[in-house]
């Protein structure tokens, strides 16, 4: 009997969800079977952090808040109520938590719930752990990573971000944003990898692998492919605007990075704010079930975007009540509600009245629990606040921030080789609204300790210590008055050259933002009097170098024609000021290339490189037709020569095609060349792009060095969606274009 009990005991003990030796899937099933419907729905609920709530409610007690007009962060819910809800297992995750202490406070409350299910702590760690209040390593934004054309760096950035997140008790990042963005009026272009599906796919996959690694290790976090789908190319650039797009464009342009994310094993998705073809993404069964789960076999979970389930009722008006909105979202496939009240009670009611089955709730909750087990949060829910200090902002992480910032910089103009400057130059005038502040951090970053950030002015002084830098503080973008401009000109006249750092302000916690989330502009010229400042100093006969710090492509036609040097640095992160200075003084030869088209004006929008043959068949009667700077454009301090393009002249349909080409550095500077391979289907049953990027790599070459580069054109990239939208490879001739027509050649597909 003892033996049997013993076996029974050990067997029943081993079949307990708390047993770490069981698989995450088994543990999730065992736990699910023990939960009440209330506990299950609690796992679908996400709230904003307690500190956020405390800021909103001040020192008001529950009673005072309920009787006041302030209402706190959530109408009539006090932070102490949320703490109680955590203890009752009514909340499964939090977002926008300030620091590790707040994380640990909430996890301790969760450990008081019946099944002690730990919370998932989520944050928008888009290009580093930027929302972590005490400060972490902040890298170039995604458009800058894409400008570096080095997916291994994107992966390393994600790995470091994940490490710093886990060290501070966070488990889930709402990143990468793998939307295709093609309208620079939109405020979030800087948060994306630009206009090309291959670039977005490869950088997105690299970051997902960097964030998630082997999820069971303590240095990895859940990634989130967002926003699904098509919100990155919004009507009139307005965030959230309704998208009415063809199935063809979905399949050719917007879907590929998300399918690649699923194939890379991304744990979570985030639905997009907007509707697609009449159905809001948050209630879109075609997207969330037919495509995402049935066609792509996604097994993770989907989080709503910010109160977007309620917006099915309040904004999209496809749900007469909030409860209907909750039902539509769950039926479509939203697993987690971001955020707050209006969901928990309503969903339990829906289940009790039979509108939603408990099986459907199980389907929604199962992956959430499975990933909590995979992350190991049951075993280790708390942050070790001592460990955090030794993990964040290490020299190695800072070096990565500098290295990735260097690679992200694109040289747009360098007339007469004015750059790089000599370090013997006596006197340089420095001004512009982005010359000495934290705008280089971009969006999704809290204000950082000044010691952690190298501004452009600080970088210039560090890199050329013998030069006198006359700094003129022209204040913010909208404070550049005629008087300020006159004073600036007077001061600039004393210098040999002027460096003007202009562009946008994406800093979330400032009140003169021009870019970033929900910062849409109906124009893409430099905001305020920035260009007037540049013109005034230029017209005073002082050579001007323009440095752009910006989160969207800008209309730079006059600048490109008149200003000798223009450097596109995007939002290069903590070390951005140093990287920019190294480019200015030649310590680093810029090798970045644009991942997105720069239009001449807002009137030229929407432009992208992979357009159909008829796009520019007709020209404007006034002004130039076509973009100012094309996708893939960028200059260097050296030059490269291509030769020896080799590949098979004929392949069988379905085969990949191997390519080799030689690149030689024929100039005097060490530098990087981004080798891009484009494909053109010479004749096809439906129209196809004039060219499509199918492979790329970034190569470093010393002066005189010649390297052979091997690349592959995958069969899938030779395919098209035919008239019936069936993906197929049509036999016939294909043209290979190397870079901007450096070399080309043709091959036949039998
Ligand atoms: C925002 C954004 C989304 C972000 C979320 C949480 O509305 O659209 O990208 O992850 O809120 O901050």
């Amino acid at each position: 009997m003892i033996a049997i009990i013993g076996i029974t005991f050990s067997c029943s003990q081993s079949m307990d969800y708390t047993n770490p030796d069981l698989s995450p899937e088994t543990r999730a099933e065992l736990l699910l079977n023990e939960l009440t419907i209330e506990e299950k729905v609690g796992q679908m609920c996400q709230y904003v952090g307690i500190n956020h709530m405390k800021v909103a409610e001040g020192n008001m007690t529950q009673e005072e808040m309920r009787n006041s007009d302030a209402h706190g962060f959530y109408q009539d819910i006090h932070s102490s109520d949320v703490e109680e809800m955590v203890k009752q297992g009514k909340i499964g995750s939090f977002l926008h938590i300030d620091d590790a202490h707040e994380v640990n406070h909430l996890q301790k409350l969760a450990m008081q719930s019946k099944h002690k299910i730990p919370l998932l702590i989520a944050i928008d760690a888009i290009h580093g752990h930027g929302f972590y209040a005490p400060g972490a390593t902040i890298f170039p934004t995604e458009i800058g990573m894409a400008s570096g054309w080095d997916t291994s760096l994107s992966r390393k950035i994600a790995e470091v971000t994940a490490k710093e997140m886990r060290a501070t008790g966070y488990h889930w990042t709402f990143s990468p944003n793998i939307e295709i963005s093609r309208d620079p009026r939109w405020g979030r272009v800087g948060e994306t990898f630009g206009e090309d599906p291959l670039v977005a796919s490869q950088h997105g996959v690299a970051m997902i692998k960097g964030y998630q690694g082997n999820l069971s290790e303590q240095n990895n976090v859940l990634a989130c492919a967002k926003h699904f789908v098509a919100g990155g190319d919004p009507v009139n650039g307005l965030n959230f605007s309704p998208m009415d797009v063809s199935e063809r464009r979905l399949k050719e342009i917007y879907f590929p990075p998300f399918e690649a994310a699923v194939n890379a094993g991304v744990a979570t998705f985030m639905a997009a704010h907007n509707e697609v073809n009449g159905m809001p993404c948050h209630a879109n069964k075609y997207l969330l079930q037919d495509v995402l789960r049935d066609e792509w076999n996604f097994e993770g979970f989907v989080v709503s975007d910010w109160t977007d389930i309620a917006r099915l009722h309040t904004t999209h008006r496809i749900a007469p009540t909030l409860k209907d909105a909750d039902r539509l979202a769950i039926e479509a496939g939203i697993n987690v509600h971001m955020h707050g009240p209006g969901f928990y009670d309503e969903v339990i009611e829906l289940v009790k009245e039979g509108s939603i089955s408990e099986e459907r709730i199980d389907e929604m909750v199962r992956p959430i629990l499975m990933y909590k087990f995979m992350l190991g949060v049951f075993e280790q829910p708390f942050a070790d606040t001592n460990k955090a200090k030794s993990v964040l902002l290490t020299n190695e992480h800072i070096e990565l921030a500098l290295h990735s910032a260097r690679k992200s910089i694109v040289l747009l103009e360098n007339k007469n080789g004015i750059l790089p400057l000599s370090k013997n130059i006596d006197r340089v005038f420095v001004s512009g609204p982005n010359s000495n502040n934290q705008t280089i951090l971009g969006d999704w970053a809290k204000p950082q300790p000044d010691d952690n950030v190298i501004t452009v002015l600080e970088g210039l002084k560090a890199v050329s210590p013998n030069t006198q830098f006359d700094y003129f503080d022209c204040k913010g973008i909208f404070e550049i008055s005629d008087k300020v401009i006159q004073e600036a000109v007077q001061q600039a006249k004393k210098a040999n050259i002027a460096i003007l750092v202009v562009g946008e302000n994406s800093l979330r916690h400032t009140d003169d933002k021009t870019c970033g989330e929900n910062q849409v502009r109906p124009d893409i010229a430099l905001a305020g009097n920035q260009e007037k400042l540049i013109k005034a100093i230029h017209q005073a006969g002082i050579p001007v170098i323009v440095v752009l710090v910006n989160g969207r492509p800008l209309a730079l036609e006059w600048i490109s024609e008149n200003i000798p040097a223009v450097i596109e640095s995007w939002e290069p992160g903590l070390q951005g000021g140093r990287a920019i200075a190294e480019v200015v003084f030649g310590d680093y030869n810029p090798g970045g290339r644009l991942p997105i088209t720069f239009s001449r004006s807002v009137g030229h929008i929407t432009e992208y490189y992979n357009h159909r043959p008829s796009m520019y068949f007709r020209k404007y009667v006034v002004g130039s037709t076509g973009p100012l700077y094309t996708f893939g454009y960028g200059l260097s301090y050296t030059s490269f020569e291509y030769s020896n393009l080799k590949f098979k002249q004929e392949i069988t349909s379905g085969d990949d095609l191997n390519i080799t080409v030689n690149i030689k550095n024929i100039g005097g500077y060490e530098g990087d060349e981004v080798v891009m391979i484009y494909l053109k289907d010479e004749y096809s049953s439906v129209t196809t792009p004039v060219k499509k990027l199918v492979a790329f790599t970034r190569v470093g070459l010393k002066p005189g060095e010649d390297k052979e580069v091997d690349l592959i054109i995958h069969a899938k990239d030779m395919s098209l969606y035919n008239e019936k939208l069936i993906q197929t490879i049509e036999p016939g001739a294909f043209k290979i274009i190397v870079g901007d027509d450096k070399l080309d050649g043709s091959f036949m597909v039998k």
Side-chain angles (χ1 to χ4, degrees):
M1 181 59 85
I2 290 171
I4 292 170
I5 289 172
I7 292 168
T8 311
F9 176 73
S10 64
C11 176
S12 64
Q13 197 270 334
S14 70
M15 287 312 284
D16 184 289
Y17 75 89
T18 58
N19 178 353
D21 298 332
L22 295 175
S23 74
E25 292 77 3
T26 302
R27 296 179 76 182
E29 210 55 48
L30 289 168
L31 177 53
L32 202 56
N33 292 336
E34 292 194 21
L35 298 182
T36 62
I37 185 63
E38 288 77 10
E39 289 178 290
K40 291 175 182 176
V41 176
Q43 288 302 303
M44 298 171 73
C45 297
Q46 185 177 87
Y47 272 68
V48 164
I50 298 276
N51 286 2
H52 265 66
M53 299 182 70
K54 285 180 176 166
V55 167
E57 65 202 24
N59 300 322
M60 285 188 281
T61 64
Q62 252 177 355
E63 220 39 52
E64 286 161 348
M65 194 199 78
R66 291 206 176 108
N67 296 328
S68 77
D69 298 333
H71 294 308
F73 193 90
Y74 296 117
Q75 179 109 11
D76 302 335
I77 294 186
H78 191 267
S79 52
S80 54
D81 297 323
V82 169
E83 292 174 326
E84 200 47 44
M85 289 157 76
V86 174
K87 284 193 247 176
Q88 294 163 10
K90 292 185 173 179
I91 298 176
S93 62
F94 276 86
L95 79 158
H96 290 300
I97 301 289
D98 282 348
D99 58 28
H101 299 290
E102 185 181 0
V103 169
N104 288 344
H105 171 67
L106 292 167
Q107 293 291 23
K108 282 184 192 128
L109 296 172
M111 290 307 113
Q112 296 175 45
S113 65
K114 182 181 171 196
H115 282 93
K116 300 181 178 15
I117 304 175
L119 300 161
L120 278 181
I121 306 296
I123 197 83
D124 293 279
I126 310 281
H127 51 104
H129 198 8
F131 262 34
Y132 186 65
T137 311
I138 299 177
F139 300 95
T141 56
E142 287 189 356
I143 199 76
M145 292 182 217
S147 298
W149 295 80
D150 183 342
T151 55
S152 67
L153 268 188
S154 301
R155 179 165 185 160
K156 285 196 189 87
I157 287 170
E159 282 168 0
V160 165
T161 303
K163 202 180 281 184
E164 295 193 357
M165 286 178 72
R166 285 306 291 275
T168 48
Y170 296 71
H171 313 106
W172 177 17
T173 178
F174 299 131
S175 176
N177 183 333
I178 49 177
E179 293 179 279
I180 298 300
S181 65
R182 307 194 297 188
D183 189 326
R185 291 170 294 184
W186 190 48
R188 303 181 74 168
V189 172
E191 197 185 311
T192 74
F193 295 108
E195 71 188 41
D196 179 74
L198 183 74
V199 170
S201 299
Q202 295 202 0
H203 281 279
V205 164
M207 290 199 87
I208 288 161
K209 290 181 173 173
Y211 284 130
Q212 295 190 172
N214 166 6
L215 273 183
S216 60
E217 282 160 27
Q218 282 300 307
N219 283 333
N220 299 121
V221 296
L222 302 183
C224 181
K226 76 183 188 181
H227 306 80
F228 192 53
V229 74
D233 198 357
V235 175
N236 299 334
L238 289 166
N239 202 26
F240 203 110
S241 59
M243 294 305 289
D244 196 325
V245 292
S246 68
E247 193 67 19
R248 176 172 296 283
R249 189 190 293 183
L250 286 171
K251 289 176 180 292
E252 284 181 0
I253 303 294
Y254 303 135
F255 279 172
F258 289 95
E259 185 175 8
V262 173
N263 295 336
V266 71
T268 72
F269 258 56
M270 184 182 292
H273 292 311
N274 51 281
E275 66 174 76
V276 171
N277 302 339
M279 183 53 72
C281 292
H282 281 72
N284 199 313
K285 287 181 186 165
Y286 165 67
L287 293 177
L288 299 179
Q289 189 61 45
D290 302 351
V291 174
L292 180 59
R293 288 169 164 112
D294 296 350
E295 187 179 333
W296 296 347
N297 301 315
F298 174 66
E299 294 178 339
F301 59 93
V302 180
V303 61
S304 81
D305 200 340
W306 193 269
T307 72
D308 276 335
I309 293 178
R311 286 176 178 148
L312 297 175
H313 168 58
T314 57
T315 309
H316 294 292
R317 304 181 66 79
I318 62 163
T321 66
L322 192 54
K323 197 166 118 182
D324 283 317
D326 295 334
R327 175 178 54 76
L328 290 173
I330 293 171
E331 285 175 352
I334 302 280
N335 304 65
V336 175
H337 168 252
M338 180 199 292
H339 55 87
F343 187 79
Y344 178 83
D345 295 330
E346 288 78 0
V347 173
I348 287 168
E349 228 177 85
L350 286 164
V351 174
K352 292 195 168 155
E353 71 190 31
S355 304
I356 289 184
S357 69
E358 185 152 2
E359 287 69 35
R360 184 60 176 167
I361 297 299
D362 288 354
E363 283 169 20
M364 293 294 105
V365 175
R366 188 174 286 114
I368 300 169
L369 297 178
M370 197 266 290
Y371 274 107
K372 285 190 176 184
F373 285 117
M374 282 183 89
L375 278 167
V377 287
F378 277 83
E379 283 66 46
Q380 178 45 278
F382 301 106
D384 174 352
T385 48
N386 292 324
K387 179 188 170 194
K389 286 195 283 282
S390 63
V391 174
L392 270 62
L393 274 169
T394 61
N395 290 338
E396 184 194 349
H397 295 178
I398 291 169
E399 183 53 35
L400 178 61
L402 176 57
H403 183 53
S404 48
R406 286 171 180 150
K407 287 212 161 180
S408 68
I409 293 173
V410 185
L411 182 61
L412 298 179
E413 298 290 343
N414 189 22
K415 298 179 180 67
N416 311 316
I418 186 172
L419 288 178
L421 297 183
S422 158
K423 291 184 183 179
N424 298 324
I425 191 165
D426 279 342
R427 214 165 161 178
V428 175
F429 173 79
V430 179
S431 188
N434 293 338
S435 52
N436 194 30
N437 60 19
Q438 297 198 5
T439 48
I440 48 176
L441 301 181
D443 197 359
W444 303 105
K446 285 193 172 166
Q448 298 298 306
D450 282 338
D451 290 350
N452 294 2
V453 184
I454 297 183
T455 70
V456 178
L457 177 65
E458 289 163 350
L460 291 167
K461 288 179 177 175
V463 169
S464 186
N466 300 326
T467 299
Q468 177 181 328
F469 291 96
D470 300 338
Y471 172 59
F472 178 82
D473 184 358
C474 70
K475 303 279 188 269
I477 285 176
F478 298 107
E479 298 174 271
I480 303 174
S481 62
D482 289 344
K483 183 170 177 300
V484 163
I485 291 172
Q486 281 162 13
E487 287 167 11
V489 170
Q490 291 318 308
Q491 187 161 341
K493 281 178 176 170
K494 300 171 194 161
N496 307 97
I497 202 163
I499 296 179
L500 300 178
V501 189
V502 297
E504 303 267 35
N505 173 17
S506 301
L507 281 178
R508 183 162 283 252
H509 303 278
T510 55
D511 53 17
D512 59 346
K513 288 193 291 281
T514 61
C515 198
E517 184 186 16
N518 292 324
Q519 308 306 314
V520 181
R521 290 206 290 131
D523 194 353
I524 55 172
L526 280 170
N529 289 326
Q530 297 182 87
E531 189 157 307
K532 198 171 178 183
L533 169 68
I534 296 167
K535 283 182 176 169
I537 292 176
H538 168 75
Q539 278 145 14
I542 302 132
V544 172
I545 295 169
V546 163
V547 175
L548 296 165
V549 173
N550 49 311
R552 62 158 57 91
L554 293 166
L556 305 167
E557 199 160 29
W558 182 88
I559 287 173
S560 70
E561 286 162 7
N562 297 282
I563 298 301
V566 183
I567 295 170
E568 175 56 84
S569 74
W570 298 113
E571 287 148 338
L574 286 180
Q575 291 287 311
R578 180 171 190 92
I580 291 165
E582 290 177 348
V583 166
V584 169
F585 285 101
D587 288 1
Y588 185 78
N589 178 6
R593 298 289 181 274
L594 295 179
I596 190 168
T597 300
F598 275 54
S599 289
R600 297 171 183 278
S601 77
V602 70
H604 288 77
I605 294 171
T606 303
E607 294 182 298
Y608 38 85
Y609 85 93
N610 48 354
H611 59 76
R612 290 326 208 236
S614 56
M615 176 81 153
Y616 295 111
F617 181 62
R618 293 291 185 220
K619 314 293 180 210
Y620 295 120
V621 289
V622 176
S624 307
T625 301
L628 179 65
Y629 298 120
T630 59
F631 173 88
Y633 173 83
L635 302 176
S636 171
Y637 293 151
T638 188
S639 312
F640 300 96
E641 186 179 73
Y642 285 70
S643 63
N644 260 347
L645 175 61
K646 286 187 281 192
F647 52 88
K648 279 166 75 176
Q649 301 303 301
E650 186 172 283
I651 61 169
T652 306
S653 177
D655 287 353
D656 293 343
L657 180 69
N658 293 312
I659 288 193
T660 60
V661 63
N662 278 68
I663 298 99
K664 183 176 183 180
N665 180 345
I666 57 174
Y669 272 90
E670 180 171 355
D672 289 358
E673 172 68 341
V674 179
V675 180
M676 300 179 197
I677 305 294
Y678 295 90
L679 197 59
K680 179 181 184 316
D681 192 338
E682 292 288 18
Y683 289 93
S684 42
S685 65
V686 292
T687 63
T688 45
V690 293
K691 65 181 185 179
K692 178 173 81 169
L693 184 72
V694 290
F696 64 85
T697 186
R698 180 164 174 157
V699 187
L701 294 161
K702 292 184 173 40
E705 191 177 5
D706 187 328
K707 270 184 189 168
E708 180 180 279
V709 170
D710 301 323
L711 290 162
I712 298 175
I713 299 180
H714 295 290
K716 187 166 186 278
D717 290 323
M718 300 174 202
S719 69
L720 54 74
Y721 288 96
N722 66 19
E723 206 170 352
K724 293 188 171 51
L725 289 180
I726 295 161
Q727 192 167 22
T728 179
I729 297 173
E730 296 180 341
F734 286 79
K735 183 177 181 184
I736 291 173
I737 303 160
V738 181
D740 48 2
D741 267 325
K742 297 272 196 321
L743 286 175
D744 62 37
S746 294
F747 66 95
M748 289 297 288
V749 172
K750 281 187 304 189

